[in-house]
Amino acid sequence: MLAHVLISEFEIDADRIQPDTRLSSLDLDSLSLAELAVIVQEEAGLENVEDVDPDSTLKELADKFAAGAGAGAGAGAGAGAGAAAPAPAAAENPRAQATA
C-alpha cells in the first residue's frame, strides 16, 4: 500500500521505490511527509500516526505502520513497501491533471 500511495499521490517513479530507499531520497518535503502519514492512516484505518521520519527507509516505515495496525484493523498496512503498482491515469489523479 505504501508503494501505491507514493506512486499515485506523490508521483514517485516506481523504480525509485525499494525497501531500503530512504524517504529523504524521494524529495518529499515536510508537508508531503505529513500528508503521507495522513493518507496511510486513513487508508489503513490507523489512529494516531506519528510524524514520518525522513531518515526512515520505506521498509522501516511500512513496519511502523503495520505495527500500528495491530493484529486486526489495517492488516497488511505494510505490505507492498517494495512492490510497485502502476500509477493511475491522469483522470484518476488530480495532481497529474494539475501538472499536465
Side-chain angles (χ1 to χ4, degrees):
M1 182 214 5
L2 185 56
H4 173 74
V5 171
L6 289 168
I7 293 167
S8 65
E9 297 294 328
F10 298 95
E11 300 178 1
I12 303 295
D13 290 329
D15 59 340
R16 294 180 65 194
I17 299 175
Q18 300 298 323
D20 61 343
T21 300
R22 295 212 177 271
L23 287 168
S24 58
S25 72
L26 297 177
D27 303 321
L28 298 173
D29 61 17
S30 59
L31 182 59
S32 295
L33 293 175
E35 185 177 357
L36 174 63
V38 169
I39 292 169
V40 171
Q41 177 178 327
E42 290 174 353
E43 289 192 12
L46 301 176
E47 295 181 13
N48 302 324
V49 172
E50 298 175 13
D51 290 333
V52 176
D53 181 2
D55 291 325
S56 295
T57 65
L58 295 180
K59 181 179 181 337
E60 291 168 343
L61 186 61
D63 290 347
K64 176 180 178 178
F65 289 145
E92 298 172 12
N93 187 343
R95 290 179 187 241
Q97 288 177 342
T99 59

